Amino acid sequence: RYAKKPREIFEAIMSRRGEIGRVLRAMHRIDFLGRYIPEFEPLTCLVQHEFFHRYTADEHTLVCIEKLDEVLLSENPKLRGYRALFEELGDPFVLYLALLLHDTGRGVGARPHSEASAVFAQRIAARFQLSSERRRSLILLVDHHVTLSSMAQQRNLDDPETAVEFARIVRDQKNLDALMLLTFADGRGTSAEAWSDWKETLVWQLYRSTSQYLADQKAFYEQRRIERESMEHSVLALLDADFAEELEAHFEFMPDNYFRAFSEEEIAANAKL
């Protein structure tokens, strides 16, 4: 487990994007995977008592990895976005390793399991002698493997602060791309019902807004300012010109949530009041 040559061979195997699932499944079938990665062993035949999970924990992990492989092999037009991200990803080894480890915390009954999984990831990163940059990425992916999905479903995606908060978590575009792929594989590997078109749309919306913020923070906020000014002009067109000064103050002092919650007609009625 600590020897250099097996470690190099394992990393070489795990770096061949699109070809990992069948190899890891063969390793697991002959009881090698859990012996070389002992943190994975407790997942073997572990039943997950959750509504959406249709597989034992070990099978779920292998299916997730096979779903990620499928991105490069499938001609399904719905996977083109993921395929573009995967082809441009610089370090597939870290992503595949994160997928292999993302549920290891379930093996010790931890709640939330992501935190325990991140501890295992840190242990394996030290054993594999990963560089500090790769180690940070691995731990981040494992620790936040449900964050993108949960934030996309539970938070207001029209609020710019949602993207800003998520950007602070992922820190850079590389981690964002990898987390997007991991979220997709985890969702597809759970069950057919767990990865709906609705959830996928929300995840992509948060991904794109976060990507925009990471690329250019100034332009990100400028776009929001332009959107508010455009709405102000539209509301003023519904009112008399005498309302211009009052409406300007209204748009200056009302919070962002107000403009997302009310239509232009409702804002005009509020200004009249």
Side-chain angles (χ1 to χ4, degrees), residues 125-155:
R127 193 162 73 234
F128 279 13
Q129 298 184 20
L130 299 184
S131 66
S132 57
E133 181 182 357
R134 298 175 94 191
R135 185 178 306 191
R136 285 193 297 269
S137 293
L138 175 66
I139 295 170
L140 185 148
L141 292 175
V142 174
D143 193 20
H144 291 284
H145 70 269
V146 297
T147 303
L148 174 55
S149 177
S150 60
M151 286 188 70
Q153 294 175 78
Q154 298 170 12
R155 301 288 293 276

Coordinates of all heavy atoms in Angstrom, one line a residue, residues 125-155:
A125 N -4.6 10.5 0.5 CA -3.7 11.5 -0.2 C -2.3 11.5 0.4 O -1.3 11.6 -0.4 CB -4.3 12.9 -0.1
A126 N -2.2 11.3 1.7 CA -0.9 11.2 2.3 C -0.2 9.9 1.9 O 1.0 9.9 1.6 CB -1.0 11.3 3.8
R127 N -0.9 8.8 1.9 CA -0.4 7.5 1.5 C 0.1 7.5 0.1 O 1.1 6.9 -0.3 CB -1.4 6.4 1.8 CG -0.8 5.0 1.8 CD -1.7 4.1 2.4 NE -2.9 3.7 1.7 CZ -4.2 3.9 2.1 NH1 -4.4 4.3 3.3 NH2 -5.2 3.5 1.3
F128 N -0.6 8.2 -0.8 CA -0.3 8.3 -2.2 C 0.8 9.4 -2.5 O 1.2 9.5 -3.6 CB -1.5 8.5 -3.1 CG -2.3 7.2 -3.4 CD1 -2.1 6.1 -2.6 CD2 -3.3 7.2 -4.3 CE1 -2.8 4.9 -2.9 CE2 -4.0 6.1 -4.6 CZ -3.8 4.9 -3.9
Q129 N 1.1 10.1 -1.5 CA 2.1 11.2 -1.6 C 1.7 12.2 -2.7 O 2.5 12.6 -3.5 CB 3.5 10.7 -1.8 CG 4.0 9.8 -0.7 CD 5.4 9.3 -0.9 OE1 6.2 9.9 -1.7 NE2 5.8 8.2 -0.2
L130 N 0.4 12.6 -2.7 CA -0.1 13.6 -3.6 C 0.5 15.0 -3.3 O 0.8 15.3 -2.2 CB -1.6 13.7 -3.6 CG -2.4 12.4 -4.0 CD1 -3.9 12.7 -4.0 CD2 -1.9 11.8 -5.3
S131 N 0.7 15.8 -4.3 CA 1.1 17.2 -4.1 C 0.1 17.9 -3.3 O -1.1 17.5 -3.3 CB 1.4 17.8 -5.5 OG 0.1 18.0 -6.2
S132 N 0.5 19.0 -2.8 CA -0.5 19.8 -1.9 C -1.7 20.3 -2.7 O -2.8 20.3 -2.2 CB 0.2 21.0 -1.3 OG 0.8 21.8 -2.3
E133 N -1.5 20.6 -4.0 CA -2.6 21.1 -4.8 C -3.6 20.0 -5.1 O -4.8 20.1 -5.0 CB -2.0 21.7 -6.2 CG -3.1 22.2 -7.1 CD -2.6 22.7 -8.4 OE1 -1.4 22.7 -8.6 OE2 -3.4 23.1 -9.2
R134 N -3.0 18.8 -5.5 CA -3.9 17.7 -5.7 C -4.6 17.2 -4.5 O -5.8 16.8 -4.5 CB -3.1 16.5 -6.4 CG -2.5 16.8 -7.7 CD -1.6 15.7 -8.1 NE -2.3 14.8 -9.1 CZ -1.9 13.6 -9.5 NH1 -0.7 13.2 -9.0 NH2 -2.6 12.9 -10.3
R135 N -3.9 17.3 -3.4 CA -4.5 16.9 -2.1 C -5.7 17.8 -1.7 O -6.7 17.3 -1.3 CB -3.4 16.9 -1.0 CG -3.9 16.4 0.4 CD -2.8 16.4 1.4 NE -1.6 15.7 0.9 CZ -0.6 15.4 1.7 NH1 -0.6 15.8 3.0 NH2 0.4 14.7 1.2
R136 N -5.5 19.1 -1.9 CA -6.6 20.0 -1.6 C -7.8 19.8 -2.5 O -8.9 19.8 -2.1 CB -6.1 21.5 -1.8 CG -5.2 22.0 -0.6 CD -5.0 23.5 -0.7 NE -4.3 23.9 -1.9 CZ -3.0 24.0 -2.0 NH1 -2.2 23.7 -1.0 NH2 -2.5 24.4 -3.1
S137 N -7.5 19.5 -3.8 CA -8.6 19.3 -4.7 C -9.4 18.0 -4.4 O -10.6 18.0 -4.4 CB -8.1 19.2 -6.2 OG -7.6 20.4 -6.6
L138 N -8.7 17.0 -4.0 CA -9.3 15.7 -3.7 C -10.2 15.8 -2.5 O -11.3 15.4 -2.5 CB -8.2 14.6 -3.4 CG -8.7 13.3 -2.9 CD1 -9.5 12.6 -4.0 CD2 -7.5 12.4 -2.5
I139 N -9.7 16.5 -1.4 CA -10.4 16.6 -0.2 C -11.6 17.5 -0.4 O -12.7 17.2 0.1 CB -9.5 17.2 0.9 CG1 -8.4 16.2 1.3 CG2 -10.3 17.5 2.2 CD1 -7.4 16.7 2.2
L140 N -11.5 18.6 -1.2 CA -12.6 19.4 -1.5 C -13.7 18.7 -2.3 O -14.9 18.8 -1.9 CB -12.1 20.6 -2.3 CG -13.1 21.7 -2.7 CD1 -12.4 23.1 -2.8 CD2 -13.9 21.5 -4.0
L141 N -13.3 17.9 -3.3 CA -14.3 17.2 -4.0 C -15.1 16.2 -3.2 O -16.3 16.1 -3.3 CB -13.6 16.5 -5.2 CG -13.1 17.3 -6.3 CD1 -12.3 16.5 -7.3 CD2 -14.2 18.1 -7.0
V142 N -14.4 15.5 -2.3 CA -15.0 14.5 -1.5 C -15.9 15.2 -0.4 O -17.1 14.8 -0.2 CB -14.0 13.6 -0.8 CG1 -14.7 12.6 0.2 CG2 -13.2 12.8 -1.8
D143 N -15.4 16.2 0.2 CA -16.1 16.9 1.3 C -17.4 17.6 0.8 O -18.4 17.7 1.5 CB -15.2 17.9 1.9 CG -15.7 18.4 3.3 OD1 -16.6 17.8 3.9 OD2 -15.2 19.5 3.7
H144 N -17.3 18.1 -0.5 CA -18.5 18.8 -1.0 C -19.2 18.1 -2.1 O -19.7 18.8 -3.0 CB -18.0 20.2 -1.5 CG -17.5 21.1 -0.4 ND1 -18.4 21.8 0.5 CD2 -16.3 21.4 0.1 CE1 -17.8 22.5 1.4 NE2 -16.5 22.3 1.2
H145 N -19.1 16.8 -2.1 CA -19.7 16.1 -3.3 C -21.2 16.2 -3.4 O -21.8 15.9 -4.4 CB -19.3 14.6 -3.3 CG -19.9 13.8 -2.2 ND1 -19.3 13.6 -1.0 CD2 -21.0 13.0 -2.2 CE1 -20.1 12.8 -0.2 NE2 -21.1 12.4 -0.9
V146 N -21.9 16.6 -2.3 CA -23.3 16.9 -2.4 C -23.7 18.4 -2.4 O -24.9 18.7 -2.5 CB -24.1 16.2 -1.2 CG1 -23.9 14.7 -1.3 CG2 -23.6 16.7 0.1
T147 N -22.7 19.2 -2.3 CA -23.0 20.7 -2.1 C -23.6 21.3 -3.3 O -24.5 22.1 -3.2 CB -21.7 21.4 -1.7 OG1 -21.1 20.8 -0.5 CG2 -21.9 22.9 -1.5
L148 N -23.0 21.0 -4.5 CA -23.6 21.6 -5.7 C -25.0 21.2 -5.9 O -25.9 22.1 -6.2 CB -22.7 21.1 -6.9 CG -23.2 21.5 -8.3 CD1 -23.4 23.0 -8.4 CD2 -22.2 21.1 -9.4
S149 N -25.4 20.0 -5.7 CA -26.7 19.5 -5.9 C -27.7 20.1 -4.9 O -28.8 20.6 -5.2 CB -26.8 18.0 -5.8 OG -28.1 17.5 -6.0
S150 N -27.2 20.1 -3.6 CA -28.1 20.6 -2.6 C -28.3 22.1 -2.7 O -29.5 22.6 -2.5 CB -27.5 20.3 -1.2 OG -26.3 20.8 -1.0
M151 N -27.3 22.9 -3.0 CA -27.4 24.3 -3.1 C -28.3 24.7 -4.3 O -29.1 25.6 -4.3 CB -26.1 25.0 -3.3 CG -25.3 25.1 -2.0 SD -23.8 26.1 -2.1 CE -24.5 27.8 -2.3
A152 N -28.2 23.9 -5.4 CA -29.0 24.2 -6.6 C -30.4 23.9 -6.4 O -31.3 24.6 -6.9 CB -28.5 23.3 -7.8
Q153 N -30.8 23.0 -5.5 CA -32.2 22.7 -5.2 C -32.8 23.5 -4.1 O -34.0 23.7 -4.1 CB -32.3 21.2 -4.9 CG -32.0 20.3 -6.0 CD -32.0 18.8 -5.6 OE1 -33.1 18.2 -5.5 NE2 -30.9 18.2 -5.4
Q154 N -31.9 23.9 -3.2 CA -32.5 24.6 -1.9 C -32.3 26.1 -1.9 O -32.9 26.7 -1.0 CB -31.8 23.9 -0.7 CG -32.0 22.4 -0.6 CD -31.2 21.8 0.5 OE1 -30.5 22.5 1.3 NE2 -31.2 20.5 0.5
R155 N -31.5 26.6 -2.7 CA -31.2 28.1 -2.6 C -31.8 28.8 -3.8 O -32.1 28.2 -4.8 CB -29.6 28.3 -2.6 CG -28.9 27.6 -1.5 CD -29.2 28.3 -0.1 NE -28.7 29.6 -0.1 CZ -27.4 29.8 0.2 NH1 -26.6 28.8 0.6 NH2 -26.9 31.1 0.3

